[in-house]
Amino acid sequence: MNKFFKKLLKIILPLLLGGAILAWVYWDFDFSRVTHVMFHEMNWWWMVLSLVFGIFSHLFRGWRWSLALEPLGVHPRKSNCVNAVFISYAANLILPRLGEISRCGVLSKYDGISFSKSLGTVVTERIIDSLCILTISVFALFSQMKVFNRFFVQTGTDLSSITDLFSSMQFYIILFCVLGVIVLLYFLVRTLSFFEKVKGVVVNIWEGVISLRKAKNVPLYILFTVLIWFCYFMQFYVALFCFSFSSGLGTLAGLVLFVAGSLAVIVPTPNGAGPWHFAIISMLVLYGVNESDAGIFALLVHGVQTLLVIILGIYATVALPIINKN
């Protein structure tokens, strides 16, 4: 299979996966009411406010990224960092996880920053974001345990089997075997001739990963991190007020829905399309929203937020050459 078809498959498979899940979720859905809700029942002022929080989350992420790059001895324009973030989210619509590559490419092109070093800072960023969503998820899980239990029962998730897995000796034997194979492969790769060729790239990436240790303003980095996740939550939570059937759910319910949606986008589909809809609809139903209204909420909120990502990506693509003209 040549490189062209491999690249084509990387684009098509996530689209097919997301499309298949969407088709399954909305198989018997009545789409005739969506237009009526969108133009006659939906409160667009709340949606505008939701989108404002979405834009600010990207701004804070771009500004935080510029702080992480400073210890590497590079000082890109903050506008370039922000626009690179805009482009990264739009790129993820084409191919999941492409955004991390594209944003580093933007700074390499316009600020001459080492691609591998900036990629290292993105790796650190992803680790920190994973810790953030883990913390939020644990809080939401313990505060709304009954709702999660109903969700697991409704979706057929057997938690006891997961517990048995981690308590079995076979699991740890397999784990140590896998780790042993990884270590063995590492030493084998070191003996190969191409290791020296990629060694410099690996070192640069690692330098970017640990750059945060030398950051001059760690408190500001932490503040930006908190603001990013606050804006993410508010972008979703405010959207609940767009509809009469979801406006009274409350903050904790909004937090649980936010966590469910955040975990669902781990599945590699464009902007989480499909898995996000399934998670949000399932959780809304558990909070008493009928399935038809839950489907409308997921469809409209995800659609509008995806449109914002596209618009910001187009804006950044046009603005970058103009800003960096000189």
Side-chain angles (χ1 to χ4, degrees):
M1 187 181 294
N2 59 41
K3 292 183 179 180
F4 173 76
F5 283 107
K6 286 182 179 179
K7 291 181 179 179
L8 192 63
L9 281 176
K10 287 181 180 179
I11 296 174
I12 292 176
L13 288 179
L15 288 172
L16 289 176
L17 177 61
I21 297 174
L22 278 174
W24 173 65
V25 171
Y26 287 96
W27 185 254
D28 296 322
F29 187 76
D30 181 13
F31 289 93
S32 61
R33 189 164 166 255
V34 176
T35 306
H36 177 78
V37 171
M38 184 167 59
F39 292 108
H40 298 94
E41 297 181 21
M42 184 174 171
N43 189 327
W44 280 94
W45 289 111
W46 284 111
M47 180 56 74
V48 170
L49 181 59
S50 169
L51 298 181
V52 169
F53 279 112
I55 294 171
F56 269 99
S57 70
H58 297 338
L59 291 175
F60 290 133
R61 184 171 289 278
W63 296 339
R64 185 182 70 170
W65 192 26
S66 68
L67 285 178
L69 290 165
E70 286 181 0
L72 300 176
V74 293
H75 302 278
R77 290 186 177 184
K78 286 184 172 58
S79 60
N80 285 350
C81 290
V82 170
N83 283 320
V85 170
F86 287 163
I87 288 177
S88 71
Y89 280 91
N92 282 334
L93 296 177
I94 302 171
L95 180 63
R97 310 298 178 255
L98 178 63
E100 286 78 0
I101 306 299
S102 63
R103 62 191 273 195
C104 297
V106 168
L107 290 195
S108 177
K109 178 180 180 179
Y110 290 105
D111 288 291
I113 295 173
S114 167
F115 179 91
S116 52
K117 287 185 178 180
S118 61
L119 183 60
T121 62
V122 173
V123 171
T124 302
E125 187 176 291
R126 285 291 170 260
I127 294 171
I128 292 172
D129 287 339
S130 298
L131 292 174
C132 289
I133 189 59
L134 179 62
T135 303
I136 296 170
S137 299
V138 169
F139 175 78
L141 181 64
F142 282 103
S143 63
Q144 298 280 277
M145 182 66 75
K146 292 181 179 179
V147 176
F148 277 103
N149 285 335
R150 291 204 303 271
F151 174 76
F152 292 135
V153 170
Q154 186 184 52
T155 55
T157 304
D158 187 0
L159 293 180
S160 62
S161 62
I162 298 174
T163 305
D164 292 341
L165 173 66
F166 286 101
S167 61
S168 66
M169 183 59 68
Q170 290 87 345
F171 170 77
Y172 291 101
I173 291 173
I174 294 172
L175 178 62
F176 281 118
C177 288
V178 171
L179 291 175
V181 170
I182 292 172
V183 172
L184 178 61
L185 287 174
Y186 169 76
F187 284 107
L188 286 174
V189 169
R190 288 194 61 178
T191 62
L192 299 178
S193 58
F194 71 83
F195 180 77
E196 290 300 324
K197 297 179 182 178
V198 302
K199 186 177 179 180
V201 176
V202 174
V203 169
N204 281 342
I205 292 175
W206 178 247
E207 187 178 341
V209 170
I210 64 174
S211 64
L212 194 58
R213 295 190 310 168
K214 302 176 182 178
K216 295 180 180 178
N217 201 336
V218 175
L220 185 58
Y221 189 96
I222 295 172
L223 176 62
F224 281 150
T225 301
V226 172
L227 289 174
I228 288 168
W229 284 96
F230 173 75
C231 287
Y232 280 162
F233 170 68
M234 291 302 295
Q235 181 183 16
F236 178 82
Y237 179 64
V238 168
L240 292 173
F241 294 93
C242 294
F243 309 91
S244 58
F245 52 77
S246 60
S247 59
L249 289 180
T251 306
L252 282 179
L255 183 63
V256 171
L257 288 161
F258 170 71
V259 168
S262 299
L263 295 177
V265 299
I266 295 174
V267 181
T269 61
N271 204 28
W276 189 89
H277 294 76
F278 168 74
I280 295 300
I281 291 171
S282 300
M283 298 304 292
L284 280 172
V285 170
L286 292 179
Y287 277 104
V289 178
N290 72 68
E291 192 168 352
S292 175
D293 288 339
I296 291 173
F297 175 90
L299 202 63
L300 291 179
V301 171
H302 188 272
V304 173
Q305 291 181 354
T306 300
L307 180 61
L308 173 67
V309 169
I310 295 171
I311 292 172
L312 292 178
I314 294 172
Y315 161 78
T317 303
V318 174
L320 276 167
I322 297 173
I323 294 172
N324 295 277
K325 188 176 181 180
N326 297 321

